[in-house]
Amino acid sequence: MAVSLLPSMAQANCPSPGQWWQAQQPQTNSELLATAAQQQVVLLGELHDNEAHHRWQLHTLAGLHALRNDMVIGLEMLPRRAQPTLDAWVAGDIDVETLLEQSQWEEVWGFNSTLYMPIFAFARMTNTPLVALNINPDLRQRLVNEGWEHVPAAERHAIPPPTPASKAYQTRLTESFEQHDMGDDSEMLGRFIQAQLTWDVAMAQRLAEAADEGTLAVGLMGQGHVAYNEGVPHQLEALGIERTLSLLPWELNNCTQPDPTLADAIFVLEAASQ
């Protein structure tokens, strides 16, 4: 899901590529990762087609794995029915072609798989479990159209109804709806917001399950689900997860600092070449 983010704030101190920034201050890599390793859930946001974002995710995963052996990697990209395929991949029982075929990667996700394969290879090399966070689109639509009370828990993976969105998140989702040129139909807007909340709570519930087992659950997902600690962080809090850290990559733009409310911390990337 693509949701527009607010502009960065101009400040006197200039971030540099390779730095972590938190609360308008640079943080060392060791400090930031030590803090992240003590969480129940860490969220790594991304633009799905941005190679630099996936490289940053991989490096962050490696740093966290050096501090926490008990770690799992959650993937927005695949629905729960792909879990046996992910297990077989990590176990070394299938090759890349079989992974993509059995998970129906092109049908359910569609973004270039080569952007993600270094992360898949890392999980396999380190025997780190991969966890499918998403649900099938037809289930998401059924929950939106029929209502949670009409879909038995067993048929919705015991996912609870989502906590209502904050006003700020509703505003951002409304802006996203308008950007997709869906008109001004209030009923359609309501269904769109409910679909996004369903998406958020489904991923949050699966991450919470992993965290409840005492592992560090690291979720990879679109930045719109992470930004401003709304979306998935909001649903995690409602599910009783008390220690969540939201991290985002951020491209340097002249001498500016990122909005400190954008995420709990951001990693500065060099500006994209024109």
Side-chain angles (χ1 to χ4, degrees):
M1 178 186 71
V3 177
S4 60
L5 305 180
L6 295 179
S8 302
M9 302 188 311
Q11 299 290 340
N13 298 325
C14 298
S16 299
Q19 285 183 328
W20 285 99
W21 273 73
Q22 187 176 39
Q24 297 180 283
Q25 297 291 331
Q27 296 289 324
T28 67
N29 191 63
S30 58
E31 289 172 332
L32 194 285
L33 290 178
T35 298
Q38 298 305 310
Q39 307 305 307
Q40 294 170 281
V41 175
V42 173
L43 303 176
L44 304 182
E46 64 178 56
L47 290 178
H48 304 312
D49 58 355
N50 190 310
E51 184 177 10
H53 287 195
H54 297 298
R55 289 176 177 172
W56 163 75
Q57 287 175 326
L58 176 61
H59 297 164
T60 304
L61 288 167
L64 290 172
H65 185 264
L67 299 173
R68 288 287 297 268
N69 293 322
D70 54 338
M71 185 177 89
V72 302
I73 302 171
L75 303 173
E76 175 195 8
M77 303 83 212
L78 295 174
R80 282 162 168 75
R81 61 178 169 77
Q83 191 59 54
T85 301
L86 293 178
D87 294 341
W89 166 260
V90 173
D93 295 335
I94 58 176
D95 59 16
V96 172
E97 183 178 358
T98 304
L99 167 68
L100 298 178
E101 180 181 353
Q102 291 187 357
S103 67
Q104 296 182 303
W105 180 273
E106 288 299 325
E107 293 82 358
V108 302
W109 192 240
F111 289 94
N112 191 340
S113 62
T114 60
L115 296 172
Y116 294 87
M117 286 317 301
I119 293 172
F120 278 82
F122 170 81
R124 184 163 174 162
M125 179 178 66
T126 59
N127 198 34
T128 300
L130 293 169
V131 178
L133 300 180
N134 221 323
I135 56 176
N136 291 336
D138 57 347
L139 174 58
R140 187 160 61 244
Q141 289 305 312
R142 184 182 174 195
L143 289 167
V144 171
N145 295 333
E146 298 181 20
W148 293 77
E149 67 277 12
H150 298 298
V151 181
E155 296 179 18
R156 53 179 161 90
H157 309 286
I159 300 169
T163 295
S166 68
K167 289 185 178 180
Y169 193 38
Q170 287 189 49
T171 298
R172 291 203 297 119
L173 291 176
T174 299
E175 291 172 352
S176 178
F177 177 83
E178 292 171 347
Q179 289 170 2
H180 286 81
D181 194 25
M182 296 182 182
D184 57 359
D185 187 324
S186 60
E187 185 176 342
M188 285 184 62
L189 172 61
R191 288 199 298 269
F192 175 78
I193 291 175
Q194 283 305 307
Q196 298 306 319
L197 293 178
T198 300
W199 203 334
D200 290 335
V201 76
M203 293 193 289
Q205 181 249 18
R206 191 65 190 91
L207 288 166
E209 287 179 347
D212 284 343
E213 297 169 2
T215 61
L216 172 62
V218 185
L220 311 186
M221 60 191 63
Q223 65 179 16
H225 295 287
V226 179
Y228 303 103
N229 275 317
E230 298 166 338
V232 172
H234 182 60
Q235 301 299 329
L236 283 167
E237 182 179 11
L239 291 171
I241 299 300
E242 299 176 349
R243 302 192 315 279
T244 300
L245 199 69
S246 299
L247 306 177
L248 289 175
W250 181 81
E251 288 184 3
L252 185 63
N253 181 18
N254 298 319
C255 184
T256 60
Q257 290 182 7
D259 181 345
T261 67
L262 179 59
D264 293 319
I266 65 97
F267 185 81
V268 182
L269 298 173
E270 65 181 357
S273 58
Q274 299 298 321

